[in-house]
Amino acid sequence: SRSLLNIINDILDLSKIEAKTMEVRVEPVDPDRLLDLLSELWQQRIAAKGLTLVRHPTVGTAHSFYSDPLRLRQVLDNLISNAAKFTVSGAIELAMENHDGDLEFRVTDHGPGISPSDQEHLFRPFWQLSDHRTRREGGTGLGLYISRQITQLLGGTIWLSDSGDNGSTFSV
């Protein structure tokens, strides 16, 4: 039922994005509190897969910034979910850095990485990796597309900052 609800929510979000009716509610966001909340929410699910969730200390100071906390959490949730889907052993890492007022959230996994040929398609709607991992884990291929659209709506950028044989790092 959780998977079905996620698919329905993705389709509704896709419809709002395409109709340009997705709303954001800008308010102060405490980045440390946001990452702590995500860590608490994901800790058990990640541990149940035999993985470790590592919440790195914040680099630089950022007491709060303005964004839509629910939409930002949705983006980071999607990145953590993808990392958990495709990581078989090791850790998933959450980090945040303040680069002279520009905040960068990072989700790093220790999965198999993403091939260069797949990387160019990652943020397309309904696109999925073309191997057995995607079929086993399910999904619609909408998560990264929706995450990119939400991030842009919030005035930010999302990108794959590193992917090799030892995992991938997505940054927002």
Side-chain angles (χ1 to χ4, degrees):
S1 65
R2 181 181 293 163
S3 293
L4 184 57
L5 180 60
N6 288 339
I7 290 170
I8 291 169
N9 285 333
D10 280 351
I11 291 170
L12 289 172
D13 282 343
L14 177 65
S15 297
K16 289 177 189 175
I17 288 166
E18 291 181 348
K20 297 185 184 335
T21 59
M22 180 171 274
E23 296 179 10
V24 296
R25 296 173 195 244
V26 177
E27 59 187 72
V29 177
D30 179 332
D32 282 314
R33 188 167 179 234
L34 175 63
L35 289 182
D36 288 343
L37 173 65
L38 287 165
S39 295
E40 289 174 23
L41 292 172
W42 280 97
Q43 188 70 44
Q44 285 185 319
R45 282 191 262 178
I46 289 172
K49 285 193 70 176
L51 304 171
T52 304
L53 180 64
V54 178
R55 162 63 165 91
H56 292 287
T58 300
V59 176
T61 57
H63 299 291
S64 69
F65 64 100
Y66 287 89
S67 188
D68 183 324
L70 293 176
R71 292 297 180 184
L72 180 56
R73 182 177 145 202
Q74 179 180 356
V75 169
L76 295 172
D77 265 334
N78 180 67
L79 296 178
I80 296 167
S81 174
N82 284 348
K85 281 181 191 178
F86 297 109
T87 302
V88 177
S89 64
I92 295 168
E93 302 175 41
L94 301 178
M96 198 273 309
E97 281 189 53
N98 183 347
H99 303 282
D100 296 322
D102 291 329
L103 301 183
E104 177 185 357
F105 294 90
R106 285 189 314 277
V107 177
T108 301
D109 66 57
H110 293 202
I114 301 168
S115 73
S117 62
D118 284 337
Q119 289 179 27
E120 65 186 74
H121 304 289
L122 280 177
F123 295 99
R124 290 184 180 171
F126 300 107
W127 189 86
Q128 296 178 316
L129 293 172
S130 57
D131 65 15
H132 70 284
R133 294 176 292 170
T134 301
R135 287 187 296 278
R136 182 182 68 233
E137 297 297 339
T140 59
L142 288 173
L144 287 175
Y145 175 76
I146 290 169
S147 293
R148 174 170 270 174
Q149 299 305 311
I150 290 171
T151 301
Q152 290 173 346
L153 190 61
L154 296 174
T157 308
I158 183 172
W159 67 98
L160 174 62
S161 59
D162 186 36
S163 186
D165 293 340
N166 296 324
S168 300
T169 299
F170 283 86
S171 297
V172 175

